Amino acid sequence: MDPSDVHLPPMKDLTIANITPNTILINSQGPSSRLTYILERLVSHLHDFARETRLSTYEWRAGIDFLTAVGQTCSPVRQEFILLSDILGLSLLVDSIDHPKPPGSTEGSVLGPFHSHDAAAMQHGDAVSHDPQGEPCLVVCRVADVHGQPIPGVKIDVWETDSTGHYDVQYAEREGPDGRCVLRSDVDGAFWFRAIKPVPYPIPHDGPVGQLLKRVHRHPYRPAHMHFMFEKEGWDHLITALYLRGDPYETSDAVFGVKQSLVVDLHPADEETSRRYGVTEGSLVLKHDFVLVTSEAAWELRDERSREALAALGRKVKLLHGLPVPDVD
């Protein structure tokens, strides 16, 4: 951009006392009111953080080096920044704000850094995992609305680790997807597949995020779980997971994903289940009903909660496309 085309207020003699309003002012020249608001709040909180902690130059440099290392650790199959967001609780917070759930609907959980877009489309009853060491587990589910009516044609992404606690993308010799699939719910909202019993595992802790966990005396483990993601036009996007009850890390998940409503039990297959789904009697079965919310209902609830939260903070803003922007009227 040609500097002669930009009309900026004069900036000089900036101090601790006036750097914040001046930075906000110079960042407020663009056409996007949403970007203006985001930068205003970011600068305000970032500057206040530096003031409240009396941040030293050494610490500022250490923070820069840490974020640089996080970026350098990222790859097409490893997202260290998502991992950082997860362990700081930001991922769950953003999902909870952007996808509020009314009573009776399925709560969300974290996406995690190991979702991929190359999972194969499978038919009901197909095997998701080909790990011979994994304990077989039949997964039988249904997706419905808050009134119990089935939702057909929902795209469902599923992914889990192998029996050693590793996702397929963590293997350098990976030749294709395993432990993951894409299904569609049938006319009754049902879907089912063959998996293996989920196991607890550590998140990748050989990088900067792992070093941070070690510095603050936190373990890197996640409880045994299986990921699910639901998509269909007209319905609010749902990212969630099911967690096995009694796991040693059920109450100390490194990425804060566990919610009581998402904790499930495994049961042995009875004779009817064995006959209907073609599995060994006594083998493990996971059954669960997922409940989706319409996009309209989620939008209304998000607006309502946004107005309440912003009013409590005393912020003079208005909502534009469901997101707060400065109210200059």
Side-chain angles (χ1 to χ4, degrees):
M1 180 178 289
D2 188 339
S4 64
D5 295 333
V6 181
H7 303 286
L8 298 177
M11 298 281 164
K12 58 189 303 184
D13 298 325
L14 299 181
T15 66
I16 292 176
N18 67 12
I19 181 64
T20 301
N22 277 281
T23 303
I24 291 172
L25 179 62
I26 203 170
N27 285 338
S28 301
Q29 313 300 309
S32 171
S33 56
R34 176 60 177 171
L35 180 58
T36 295
Y37 183 69
I38 288 175
L39 286 177
E40 175 204 333
R41 302 317 305 150
L42 174 64
V43 168
S44 295
H45 288 297
L46 196 59
H47 286 199
D48 283 345
F49 166 78
R51 293 187 184 96
E52 292 168 8
T53 61
R54 309 308 296 173
L55 195 67
S56 70
T57 303
Y58 172 81
E59 292 167 327
W60 170 81
R61 182 68 205 191
I64 297 294
D65 290 343
F66 173 76
L67 292 176
T68 300
V70 170
Q72 291 171 338
T73 305
C74 293
S75 74
V77 295
R78 176 168 174 172
Q79 237 302 350
E80 194 81 355
F81 269 112
I82 289 182
L83 203 60
L84 176 61
S85 174
D86 288 348
I87 67 107
L88 293 178
L90 180 61
S91 300
L92 190 68
L93 177 60
V94 170
D95 181 72
S96 298
I97 291 171
D98 202 36
H99 298 280
K101 307 300 180 189
S105 60
T106 299
E107 294 185 278
S109 190
V110 294
L111 174 69
F114 293 118
H115 173 260
S116 75
H117 296 281
D118 63 349
M122 293 188 178
Q123 300 300 313
H124 298 158
D126 284 350
V128 171
S129 175
H130 299 90
D131 178 3
Q133 304 303 316
E135 185 174 1
C137 179
L138 172 68
V139 181
V140 180
C141 300
R142 181 175 182 266
V143 56
D145 63 18
V146 294
H147 304 293
Q149 295 301 307
I151 308 175
V154 179
K155 177 187 175 185
I156 305 134
D157 263 271
V158 179
W159 65 106
E160 67 167 338
T161 70
D162 61 17
S163 58
T164 70
H166 294 86
Y167 290 94
D168 56 348
V169 295
Q170 293 180 271
Y171 291 103
E173 67 277 14
R174 177 183 189 256
E175 296 180 352
D178 192 30
R180 61 181 76 238
C181 73
V182 176
L183 299 160
R184 297 272 177 178
S185 59
D186 66 16
V187 293
D188 298 315
F191 64 97
W192 62 282
F193 57 92
R194 302 167 193 265
I196 61 173
K197 179 184 177 181
V199 297
Y201 65 88
I203 60 174
H205 55 287
D206 57 343
V209 170
Q211 294 169 11
L212 176 60
L213 288 177
K214 187 175 181 180
R215 287 286 300 271
V216 298
H217 289 201
R218 284 176 56 185
H219 71 69
Y221 278 85
R222 298 215 64 201
H225 63 279
M226 186 178 295
H227 292 276
F228 296 83
M229 182 162 63
F230 298 83
E231 295 178 81
K232 184 177 182 180
E233 186 174 355
W235 299 88
D236 192 47
H237 189 250
L238 173 64
I239 298 170
T240 192
L242 297 179
Y243 299 85
L244 299 193
R245 192 182 314 278
D247 187 277
Y249 305 106
E250 181 183 334
T251 59
S252 62
D253 183 4
V255 302
F256 311 107
V258 180
K259 297 175 181 176
Q260 189 59 42
S261 66
L262 302 177
V263 177
V264 298
D265 296 297
L266 299 180
H267 299 283
D270 57 23
E271 182 179 353
E272 179 185 352
T273 300
S274 173
R275 182 176 60 255
R276 180 175 181 181
Y277 296 101
V279 297
T280 303
E281 189 171 348
S283 60
L284 297 177
V285 180
L286 187 163
K287 291 186 177 182
H288 193 75
D289 291 341
F290 294 93
V291 179
L292 302 189
V293 181
T294 64
S295 299
E296 181 180 3
W299 187 277
E300 292 175 354
L301 185 58
R302 184 164 51 246
D303 271 15
E304 176 187 334
R305 292 185 178 176
S306 291
R307 295 181 192 282
E308 291 174 352
L310 293 167
L313 291 172
R315 303 297 306 163
K316 189 175 185 295
V317 297
K318 60 184 178 181
L319 295 182
L320 179 65
H321 306 305
L323 299 170
V325 298
D327 186 358
V328 294
D329 296 336

